[in-house]
Structure formats: structure tokens, C-alpha cells
Amino acid sequence: MRPEILYPLFAPIDTLKGVGPRVAPLLSKLAGPVVRDVAFLTPHSLIHRQPARVEAAVEGAVQTFVVTIEAYQAPRNPSQPWRVRAFDGTGSLTLVYFGGLGGRIEGQNPVGAQRLVSGKVERFGSEIQIAHPDYLVPVEKADQIPEVEAVYPATAGLPARTVRRLALDALGRCPDLAEWQDPAWLARQGWASWRESLARLHAPQSDADLTAQAPHRQRLAFDELLAHQLAMGQKKAERRAEPAPPIGAGRLAEALAAALPFQLTGAQSRALADIRADLACGERMSRLLQGDVGSGKTVVAMLAMADVAEARGQSALMAPTEILARQHFETLAAPLEAQGIAAVLLTGRDKGPARAEKLRALASGAVQVAVGTHALFQTDVVFHDLRLTVIDEQHRFGVAERQRLQAKGQATHLLAMSATPIPRTLELTVFGDLDVSRIDEKPPGRTPVATRAIPMGRMAEVEGRLKSVVATGAQAFWICPLVSESEKTDLAAAERRAAELRERIGPSVGLVHGKMPGPEKDAVMARFAQGELSVLVATTVVEVGVNVPNATIMVIEQAERFGLAQLHQLRGRVGRGKAESACVLLYDPPLSETGQKRLDILRRTDDGFLIAERDLELRGGGDPLGLRQSGFPAYVFADPISHRDLIAAAGDDARLILARDPDLTSSRGQALRVLQALFDWQAQSTLQDAG
Ligand code: ADP
Ligand code: MG
């Protein structure tokens, strides 16, 4: 329930002065539906009004003049403006008004009156003019014209100055709220109260006041981050509070591990230990397993599934695509079955009696492990006792999808896996309600992939080299990005490329793309995996989310269009064996300076986490990493880059607060609840909800 003190802030925006049926939808689009949203609008620049003489007027500057009104010139037809001639002793200034406003202005500013006029100076031939001055006031009302004025975001039909007025009105409705931050921390940071900080947001005095580092901006960002971290902490605690029967580390997993042709890496062992501690503790697990492509996440998940099976529970592993599900099944089924653990593959392609048979086996408990796609959470899929769900490439699934699978068991443990490296600093904001294990070490014996950036103009050279290495038995991926608006066009480009490569290299060039029917796609993939095809042209990253250890070359067209993390993931598809591998980043010159730096990072390092961190720094604002999509919340004040340190601090603070006062009942706790309500970050509304 929303605290009463916040009611004025959650009133609809049409309660603001001057917001009627015309303005309301515009303002709502710009800010949001309630008064709070308008009060949270942030000015993006400043107007400094300089007092000036007409003879020294500067074109393009916003200036204020003291003038005498000399004459009104009415338009000859309605499409022309009113022109008002004014004079300040040094020169003539013309005020221009479109839209028949002149009559009213004349009434208030008769000829002979002395006025202050302020606005953007324009030059029209030899004439100095101001179109629609921002201010035209009697001299004694000089105080109505601010020397510096904040400029707000605007939209068609809603000019910045109107937005400013509305924002100030909204600010006026913000009550003083009981302090929720620790006073010592506030003092150390030199931050003002919430209300005061918000007031400063709307009254910037200098450009420094507009930056993310301004104290009031930091304070507001920290408030927002803390509200979010608290919500995620509460969510995590709630999930933990759900009891789940303990599952111990078992003999089957041990035998399974012993039968593997390799030893787990240190990082894999640590991740497995984390998972086992979760499974054994009697609470529901919500853990994210983060690790680069090829770091060996699947093996870790498999060992956990063996523990679950030994405890007579079932596990489900869900992959985003048919090909990936199939590949997981092929990796897992044999080793599991060697320990007497039965597994089935369930995808959209299972139909009729075969499918019915699989469903029966899951419902009876005859099968302990199900691997599949979205097909796993269809309503008629019933588990005997689902205890663990493993979600591969977790960001590819929606919250609802994960929850539907988890709901097929009681207090089902969740293990999410992700190969999208996310900077450590952001991990908290995206996955704050999950525990995270990182596999930050690759299995031994991998050689680094030699990475080179080459302009598209040298394509023929690349093709020639490809031809000669393919002749020695090497295999290559060739990625054509989806770049145009139309899938058809992209597809055509990929087909052309495949045809061209076929011409140059030979018939062993295959093409796989997202629009292909499943079986056809699998057939091409299988031919590539078996070495029948030497080059695989693919339109998207989806199709290459697979493991083909013999492939050693990755060519990526228009590499500058991909995110670094994506490029890194693609590159991870090669370099899996002892053989030398290469990654060629073809780009459309000229590369921007940032573009060059980005590709450089890839050449220099193979550490996905480092790459993500640098990418974040280089790309700056907006949503370059697709953070929104990967669950990064749409913050109002907090910025993932500028406020990185605050994210960490808010995470620590939230943990401390919830450890001392889990239900937020102390007096600070009460204030914190108001904070959460202010930002709408209650536990039940967290965006990234692991279910
Ligand atoms: P991920 O899911 O993290 O991309 P996988 O679990 O698919 O990685 O592992 C990639 C490849 O590495 C697989 O062929 C797997 O058998 C192998 N592998 C996993 N762990 C190790 C290890 N500790 N030593 C050697 N090879 C490993
Ligand atoms: Mg994987």
C-alpha cells in the first residue's frame, strides 16, 4: 500500500495547472502518467541570459534588452506574423509573432512603453529580431527573467518552457519526507535531503549542476539504486524463506565426474560447490552461473542434476533453440545414462505417440532429466517431482517463461546460465536477486584466437586465404549480420555471400538462417559438425550457438555493427581445440575512433568480463549494450556508467539494512518503505524477477 504522504505525487498529471486533454497525453509520453514523473524530469541544459545592447546583439545568443516599443505592424494576411518595432538607443530590434498574437501583445505593451525583452537573437538581412520572445515584461518586473534557466526535454506541441513550468509545479507538490539515508553517509557524501536535492535538480546554476556527478544528482541516483537493491534483497529473502528439501552431494555425480575425460577446472569446482551448498541448505536456490562460451557451464549443471536424481528428484534443462537443446541432450544423455539416470529430449518437434510416451515417462518419474526448448513448459507437460530447473542463456527467456517451468515443481531450485558477460559493476543491478557464481577460467589446452580487423575492401584476400586453409581441412563460420529493416534483404545478402563463396571455394559451403524450418537447419548443422561442410554461412548468432570443436575460423561481416559482447561470444565458437584459430572482423571503413577502439579491445583480450567492462566505458549513454533487454532496469536518475560506484554502495547498504531490519519496521525502515513506494520498487515489482 502506498503511504498517504505520497498521494499528491501519484495524482494524475492532469491535476497540474494547465494540463488538460491536449497537454496530458504529450506530457504523459514525455514524463509519465503521474505528478511524480513530472517532478522527476531532468533538465538537460542551461540558458544563460546575457543583458545586452542591440548594437552588440549576438546572433544565436539568448539575450535580454531594455527597449521602448515604437510601432506595431499588423500582418497583411494571416500567414504572416505581427512585427513589433522596438528601440534601445543603440539600434532597432524587431519582435516577431506568428499566429495572430499581436493584438493581445499590443494591449499589454502599448507604443511608448519601456520593456525588458529576452529571447534568442536572430538576424534577418540587416534587421535584428527575436521571434516569440521568451519574456516581454515591464522593466520593474526584471525579477521574472531568470539569468540562468534550465532547459527541459520537450516534444512536439509541448515546448521546453512549458515543461519547465509544469516540472516546477510538480516540484512544489513534493512533500518533505523523513530521511531514509544513513545520516553519517549523507554527511560524508555532502548530500542534501531528498527534497532539497530534487529542488536543486530543477534549479541548476552551472553546467556542473547538470552532470551525473553533481551532488544532488548522485543523491537522487543513490536513492533510486537503494530502493531497487532493497526490493531485490527482499525478493531474494522471500525465495529463501521457501523451504526446499535438502539435496546432498551424491555418489552418482562423483562417478559421473570421474568418468569425464577431463578434470573440472578450479572455477568449475567452485561453482559446483556453490550450487551444492544451495541445494543442501534447505532453502530454494536462485543462482546464476556466469561464464564465457566454452567455459564449461553445462558440465557443472549436469553434475548438479545427478545430485538431484540421486535424491529422487527430476531436473529440466531449457535451451532457447532447438539446435542448442539437441546439442545439450547429446552431451548429457550418455554420461547420465551411464550412471543409470534416464534423460529425454523434448522439443516442439515431438508429436503424437512418441511425445505422449515421453510425457508419460516424465509424469511417472521414470525419467529424471528433461532437456528441451519452450516445449518443456507446455501445460500438458507434467513432472513427477521437478526439483531443479536449469535455464541456458537465461536472458533469452522472459520472466513468465521461466516461472512457468519452475511452477511445474514445488519450491523448484533455479540455476540460470549466461554466457553474456556483464560487467561486474552492473551484475548487482541486473541480477541482484540472484546469487552469482562466475566461471572465470577456461578449460586448459585452448589456444587464444588470433583476431584481426580487416576492411571489407580486402574481402577477396580473405576469401583467398580461406580457400587455402579450407583445403587443408579447416572449417569456418561466416557470419552475415542482420542489418537491414527487412529480413528478406538480409537473407538475400547471406544467400549471395554463400553463392559467392561456393564459387570461390567449392561446393562445401552451407547456409543456415533463422527462417529455415527446424529439420532443415539441423541437417545443415549436422553436415557442418560432421565435417561434410567446410564453411557455414549464418545470418544470426542463434544458429551458431553450437559446439563444433573442429571449426577454427570465424569471419564476421560488418563487425562494427555488433556489440562487443556478441562479437566475443561469436569468437568463442572457435579456438576450442589445440589447433590455431583465427577470427576475422570485416568492417565497413571508415571506422569511427570509438569503433576502432572497440575492435582493438577484442584483439587485445579474451576475457569476456573485461571486454564487457571496456565496452560499457566506451559506449557511454543510451542503451548500447541492450541492457534493458537483458533486464537492466529503466532508472530515472541512476546511470550505469557514471554511478557505478553508487551501485556497489547501494548493494552493500541494502544488505546491511535487511540483515538488521528484514521487515523494515524500524523508524528508518519506515522511511525506506516510503522511498521504495516513491520509486515503485516494491519487491513484487522488480523487473528482473527470477521467479
Ligand atoms: P559452456 O556451456 O560454458 O559454453 P560447455 O559446458 O558446453 O561450455 O563446454 C564446452 C566444451 O568444453 C565441451 O566440449 C566440454 O566437454 C568441454 N569442457 C568442459 N569442461 C572442461 C574441462 N574442465 N576440461 C576440458 N574440457 C572441458
Ligand atoms: Mg553452453
Side-chain angles (χ1 to χ4, degrees):
M1 259 199 321
R2 184 170 293 140
E4 217 170 301
I5 191 162
L6 294 183
Y7 286 0
L9 284 176
F10 283 85
I13 46 176
D14 59 12
T15 58
L16 290 169
K17 225 171 102 202
V19 180
R22 186 189 74 82
V23 169
L26 299 174
L27 185 59
S28 178
K29 210 176 102 207
L30 197 68
V34 296
V35 170
R36 174 204 60 181
D37 303 328
V38 182
F40 282 3
L41 280 173
T42 301
H44 55 69
S45 55
L46 277 180
I47 294 176
H48 295 269
R49 281 177 204 283
Q50 313 143 354
R53 305 282 212 135
V54 175
E55 64 177 358
V58 177
E59 192 179 352
V62 178
Q63 299 187 308
T64 304
F65 305 91
V66 187
V67 297
T68 307
I69 305 290
E70 288 197 319
Y72 279 81
Q73 187 187 327
R76 257 170 260 134
N77 65 57
S79 69
Q80 288 185 331
W82 273 83
R83 305 177 77 80
V84 185
R85 229 190 38 249
F87 185 69
D88 81 339
T90 71
S92 281
L93 178 68
T94 308
L95 314 182
V96 180
Y97 291 92
F98 284 88
L101 285 163
R104 206 184 67 207
I105 286 167
E106 186 166 11
Q108 290 165 2
N109 307 280
V111 168
Q114 214 187 29
R115 289 292 181 260
L116 280 167
V117 58
S118 185
K120 188 164 171 190
V121 175
E122 292 166 7
R123 191 180 286 272
F124 196 72
S126 64
E127 229 174 295
I128 304 286
Q129 63 176 44
I130 296 178
H132 293 265
D134 301 334
Y135 298 93
L136 180 62
V137 297
V139 178
E140 59 278 13
K141 292 199 177 158
D143 59 340
Q144 284 187 0
I145 306 183
E147 241 171 78
V148 286
E149 187 175 320
V151 184
Y152 285 78
T155 178
L158 196 58
R161 293 189 58 230
T162 310
V163 176
R164 171 170 177 269
R165 186 176 54 70
L166 296 169
L168 293 177
D169 183 1
L171 171 68
R173 300 182 192 212
C174 291
D176 272 319
L177 299 173
E179 185 55 68
W180 46 72
Q181 298 293 3
D182 175 34
W185 165 248
L186 282 185
R188 212 173 74 212
Q189 298 292 109
W191 290 345
S193 71
W194 171 75
R195 181 67 177 71
E196 176 61 28
S197 300
L198 197 62
R200 287 185 197 169
L201 178 77
H202 293 290
Q205 295 303 308
S206 65
D207 289 334
D209 283 347
L210 297 169
T211 66
Q213 298 313 335
H216 60 271
R217 288 280 297 270
Q218 293 210 22
R219 151 99 216 211
L220 295 170
F222 188 75
D223 285 344
E224 183 171 36
L225 291 166
L226 181 62
H228 184 206
Q229 290 296 323
L230 280 172
M232 287 195 293
Q234 286 167 326
K235 180 86 203 168
K236 200 153 138 180
E238 253 169 52
R239 229 182 284 121
R240 283 231 184 90
E242 264 182 80
I247 295 170
R251 196 177 45 74
L252 289 183
E254 199 183 313
L256 190 53
L260 290 173
F262 50 76
Q263 294 246 310
L264 294 187
T265 62
Q268 283 173 314
S269 302
R270 283 190 296 276
L272 182 63
D274 290 344
I275 294 167
R276 285 181 154 168
D278 289 348
L279 293 177
C281 81
E283 296 166 356
R284 235 177 114 193
M285 168 172 78
S286 308
R287 186 166 290 277
L288 174 73
L289 193 52
Q290 271 260 61
D292 264 347
V293 167
S295 60
K297 298 182 290 294
T298 316
V299 182
V300 174
M302 176 172 74
L303 294 171
M305 293 195 278
D307 282 344
V308 171
E310 190 163 348
R312 304 185 171 284
Q314 290 171 302
S315 307
L317 188 162
M318 183 159 71
T321 67
E322 175 100 27
I323 294 179
L324 276 174
R326 207 162 280 280
Q327 187 150 56
H328 277 315
F329 182 73
E330 276 156 20
T331 321
L332 301 178
L336 285 171
E337 268 159 21
Q339 307 306 324
I341 302 168
V344 286
L345 175 68
L346 194 67
T347 74
R349 261 189 261 160
D350 291 294
K351 301 252 152 59
R355 178 169 188 273
E357 177 54 38
K358 288 180 181 180
L359 295 193
R360 263 197 302 280
L362 285 175
S364 71
V367 154
Q368 290 87 43
V369 171
V371 177
T373 56
H374 297 71
L376 281 175
F377 57 70
Q378 304 310 314
T379 5
D380 61 346
V381 179
V382 176
F383 287 85
H384 177 67
D385 185 12
L386 180 64
R387 305 269 285 276
L388 169 66
T389 65
V390 182
I391 313 275
D392 193 22
E393 303 294 333
Q394 65 87 31
H395 60 281
R396 306 260 304 262
F397 294 95
V399 173
E401 294 175 310
R402 295 195 297 249
Q403 281 173 344
R404 275 174 69 187
L405 182 53
Q406 284 210 286
K408 292 189 180 288
Q410 272 186 348
T412 313
H413 297 290
L414 171 71
L415 180 63
M417 304 199 287
S418 171
T420 305
I422 170 165
R424 206 180 271 280
T425 41
L426 297 189
E427 203 170 78
L428 259 179
T429 39
V430 181
F431 302 119
D433 61 340
L434 299 176
D435 297 303
V436 180
S437 299
R438 282 192 162 206
I439 304 189
D440 50 8
E441 176 185 352
K442 295 243 167 78
R446 309 242 166 115
T447 38
V449 181
T451 302
R452 214 157 331 146
I454 296 179
M456 291 285 260
R458 286 167 57 193
M459 173 86 81
E461 203 179 305
V462 172
E463 287 174 344
R465 287 254 293 287
L466 189 57
K467 183 180 174 166
S468 57
V469 288
V470 159
T472 69
Q475 285 183 285
F477 289 104
W478 187 294
I479 310 296
C480 301
L482 293 173
V483 291
S484 74
E485 288 299 303
S486 128
E487 208 159 346
K488 255 202 186 134
T489 319
D490 286 325
L491 192 51
E495 270 162 359
R496 263 201 312 282
R497 181 69 67 224
E500 183 193 310
L501 289 172
R502 225 169 264 137
E503 214 163 274
R504 296 213 49 170
I505 293 171
S508 66
V509 176
L511 171 68
V512 67
H513 59 77
K515 283 283 135 180
M516 263 181 175
E520 215 174 294
K521 220 186 313 191
D522 289 356
V524 179
M525 286 306 311
R527 290 182 61 208
F528 185 62
Q530 285 151 22
E532 280 172 45
L533 293 176
S534 54
V535 179
L536 184 69
V537 179
T539 51
T540 61
V541 296
V542 179
E543 279 65 52
V544 291
V546 292
N547 197 13
V548 181
N550 196 43
T552 52
I553 297 158
M554 171 66 68
V555 182
I556 303 168
E557 274 190 50
Q558 303 199 22
E560 74 278 7
R561 295 194 181 238
F562 287 93
L564 277 194
Q566 232 180 348
L567 289 175
H568 172 67
Q569 273 181 288
L570 282 171
R571 179 173 62 179
R573 297 294 156 202
V574 296
R576 296 198 158 203
K578 292 221 161 47
E580 296 263 324
S581 295
C583 175
V584 177
L585 306 169
L586 287 170
Y587 64 89
D588 253 338
L591 271 185
S592 67
E593 196 182 321
T594 316
Q596 189 143 19
K597 277 192 188 151
R598 295 179 64 235
L599 295 188
D600 258 5
I601 296 168
L602 278 180
R603 293 199 301 115
R604 282 203 308 266
T605 177
D606 188 37
D607 178 337
F609 294 113
L610 190 68
I611 288 171
E613 207 87 54
R614 294 286 292 128
D615 198 17
L616 185 69
E617 283 164 22
L618 275 181
R619 297 228 251 165
D623 188 20
L625 299 174
L627 289 174
R628 293 276 148 76
Q629 215 184 330
S630 55
F632 197 82
Y635 289 132
V636 184
F637 298 119
D639 176 82
I641 300 165
S642 320
H643 298 133
R644 283 190 281 187
D645 298 347
L646 295 182
I647 294 174
D652 288 344
D653 212 5
R655 261 191 304 281
L656 273 178
I657 291 166
L658 291 174
R660 281 193 213 130
D661 183 14
D663 299 317
L664 300 180
T665 49
S666 66
S667 66
R668 185 182 177 197
Q670 308 265 350
L672 284 162
R673 285 180 194 221
V674 174
L675 167 67
Q676 287 190 282
L678 181 63
F679 281 103
D680 269 335
W681 279 127
Q682 279 90 345
Q684 64 271 25
S685 66
T686 50
L687 283 183
Q688 181 71 20
D689 188 337

